[in-house]
Amino acid sequence: MRRTLVIAFLIIISFVLQTTVFNLHDISGVTPDLLIIITMSFGIMRGRREGLLTGFFCGMLYDIFYGSLMGPFMFLYMLVGYVNGFFHRKYLMEDVMLPVMISAVDELFIEFMVYIFAFLLRNRLYFGRYLVHIILPKTLYTVLITVVVYRIYVRINKYLKKKVSEAKK
C-alpha cells in the first residue's frame, strides 16, 4: 500500500514539475519528459507489471491534460514501461548507463510516434526539421535529467524495499 502511494505521489510530482517548473526553464522550447523517466525507472527497478501500471497512469495523466483523445499516450507509456520491465533482472540498480541509454531510446520512440501520428498522417513531411529542433534536443535534455532523477528513484525504491522487508519480519 505504501509503495503504491509513494509511486502515485512521484507520478504527480513528476507531472507537476514537467508542466510547470521545466516549462518555465525550457531550452529552445523543449522540456524533459519526466513521465518517461519515472516509467522507465520503475519498469527497470520493479519489473514489467509495475512498469506497465506506472506507464498507464503517466500516460493517462498526459492524455487527460494534453491529449485530444484518451488513450494514445497511455498506450505508448504502457508499452515503454512493459518493455523496460524486461531489463529488470539484467542490470545492477546502481548502474546509471543502462537507464540513460534506455531513456534515450524511449524518448526517441515516443517522439517518433508523435511525429507519425501528429504530423506524418496529416501530410506534414518535415521530419528533418522536427528531428533537429524537437526530437534530438528533447532526448538530450531528458537523458541529462535522467542521470540525476534516476538516482533519486533508486534511493526511494531501496527505502521502500527495506520497509517491506522490515514489515515481513
Side-chain angles (χ1 to χ4, degrees):
M1 180 67 178
R2 178 183 291 177
R3 186 177 78 220
T4 305
L5 291 174
V6 168
I7 293 173
F9 180 72
L10 287 174
I11 290 171
I12 291 169
I13 291 296
S14 295
F15 181 75
V16 168
L17 286 174
Q18 179 176 330
T19 56
T20 57
V21 174
F22 285 109
N23 260 351
L24 293 175
H25 302 294
D26 61 349
I27 297 174
S28 299
V30 184
T31 59
D33 196 345
L34 294 177
L35 296 178
I36 280 288
I37 296 171
I38 193 168
T39 301
M40 177 269 311
S41 298
F42 282 96
I44 290 174
M45 289 187 292
R46 306 292 298 178
R48 291 179 297 221
R49 182 175 177 266
E50 192 105 11
L52 183 83
L53 290 172
T54 306
F56 173 79
F57 289 110
C58 288
M60 184 178 67
L61 233 103
Y62 198 89
D63 279 336
I64 288 172
F65 286 97
Y66 291 110
S68 57
L69 294 172
M70 187 67 169
F73 281 98
M74 193 179 342
F75 175 73
L76 289 174
Y77 280 77
M78 285 171 56
L79 184 64
V80 164
Y82 185 77
V83 169
N84 289 336
F86 283 106
F87 294 102
H88 172 60
R89 301 271 183 212
K90 300 190 183 340
Y91 89 107
L92 296 171
M93 202 177 302
E94 289 78 19
D95 181 27
V96 176
M97 283 310 297
L98 180 67
V100 164
M101 290 186 299
I102 290 175
S103 70
V105 171
D106 292 345
E107 187 65 41
L108 287 170
F109 170 73
I110 292 282
E111 291 301 319
F112 185 70
M113 296 308 288
V114 167
Y115 169 76
I116 288 174
F117 291 113
F119 297 105
L120 188 63
L121 293 179
R122 294 181 184 171
N123 204 20
R124 297 182 182 151
L125 305 173
Y126 305 117
F127 181 69
R129 197 164 104 204
Y130 189 75
L131 177 72
V132 170
H133 293 289
I134 302 294
I135 294 177
L136 293 178
K138 189 168 185 175
T139 302
L140 182 63
Y141 201 5
T142 300
V143 164
L144 291 174
I145 297 297
T146 299
V147 173
V148 176
V149 173
Y150 179 74
R151 289 186 177 153
I152 295 169
Y153 291 153
V154 166
R155 286 188 180 158
I156 291 170
N157 188 43
K158 282 183 179 179
Y159 174 77
L160 291 173
K161 278 186 175 182
K162 180 179 159 190
K163 287 296 181 185
V164 167
S165 67
E166 287 175 359
K168 286 184 180 178
K169 291 180 181 180

